[in-house]
Amino acid sequence: MMTSEALTVRRNYENRTPLGKSDWTGPEPQMSHSAVTRRIFFLDHWLLDGLSPETVQWLKIYAAEQHLWGAGWRLPADRIPAAVQQDFAASGMDAVESAFWKTQAMGLYVDNQETWQRCKGGDHVRRIEIVGPNDAYTCTTCRESAGKQFLVARVPELPHRGCTSPLGCRCRYEPVLEVEEIPLMA
Ligand SMILES: [Zn+2]
């Protein structure tokens, strides 16, 4: 493996565990990645409103596989069950894209929930920043909140209920680490 590839793999891994692997000093124990993945199976959230129980069940497995591997992939159309295709027919996007972005949102939700709980339970982080992509699909609500920092207890709920992006809200919580000023070497 080339060095740059190795660095990319490592960076992707570290991005998933932004505070590193060291023990968290707050009262909440740090969850393992697979424990966070498991939360997808227990998701009961408005993100899944309007979808049949069969579709929800299928999406949870698809979302959990991606989350566990820390990767996202689109399924070929013929791998998407007819019931799921039908549920997404009115969304204006094809079933491949709809299923993909819905599962991304589900994974992001459990990650955000975990980040928030970890910050709330610990004593190193006082503020959380909302970050998200800024592209053609970013809606006004998300664009307005991007880059803003909030006290942990006051950070707005994600996903944004007012998000109008066809891809769903892609905003995430980023803990703000407050570091004492480190003097630069003269
Ligand atoms: Zn949005």
Side-chain angles (χ1 to χ4, degrees), residues 171-184:
C171 297
R172 62 188 166 81
Y173 295 140
E174 188 81 30
V176 178
L177 285 181
E178 282 159 77
V179 187
E180 298 284 320
E181 191 103 352
I182 299 168
L184 291 171

Side-chain angles (χ1 to χ4, degrees), residues 36-51:
V36 179
T37 299
R38 209 174 311 126
R39 286 184 166 184
I40 291 172
F41 291 112
F42 298 98
L43 258 188
D44 180 15
H45 192 268
W46 58 259
L47 271 173
L48 302 170
D49 281 357
L51 300 169

Side-chain angles (χ1 to χ4, degrees), residues 137-143 145 160 162-166 168-171:
Y137 296 106
T138 307
C139 78
T140 316
T141 304
C142 294
R143 191 166 283 127
S145 78
H160 288 118
C163 179
T164 55
S165 171
C169 179
R170 293 169 292 159
C171 297

Side-chain angles (χ1 to χ4, degrees), residues 55-124:
T55 296
V56 167
Q57 204 51 39
W58 182 85
L59 285 171
K60 284 180 174 181
I61 293 164
Y62 178 18
E65 282 179 346
Q66 293 179 90
H67 189 269
L68 196 58
W69 290 103
W73 57 80
R74 285 161 175 82
L75 290 174
D78 60 10
R79 294 264 317 273
I80 299 174
V84 177
Q85 308 235 19
Q86 200 168 349
D87 270 7
F88 285 127
S91 73
M93 243 193 313
D94 67 58
V96 171
E97 289 299 310
S98 299
F100 173 73
W101 287 108
K102 186 60 83 178
T103 55
Q104 291 298 107
M106 293 160 75
L108 188 57
Y109 175 74
V110 294
D111 282 342
N112 279 332
Q113 188 183 43
E114 195 262 347
T115 301
W116 185 78
Q117 286 173 337
R118 200 148 42 100
C119 292
K120 189 169 142 277
D123 47 14
H124 296 305

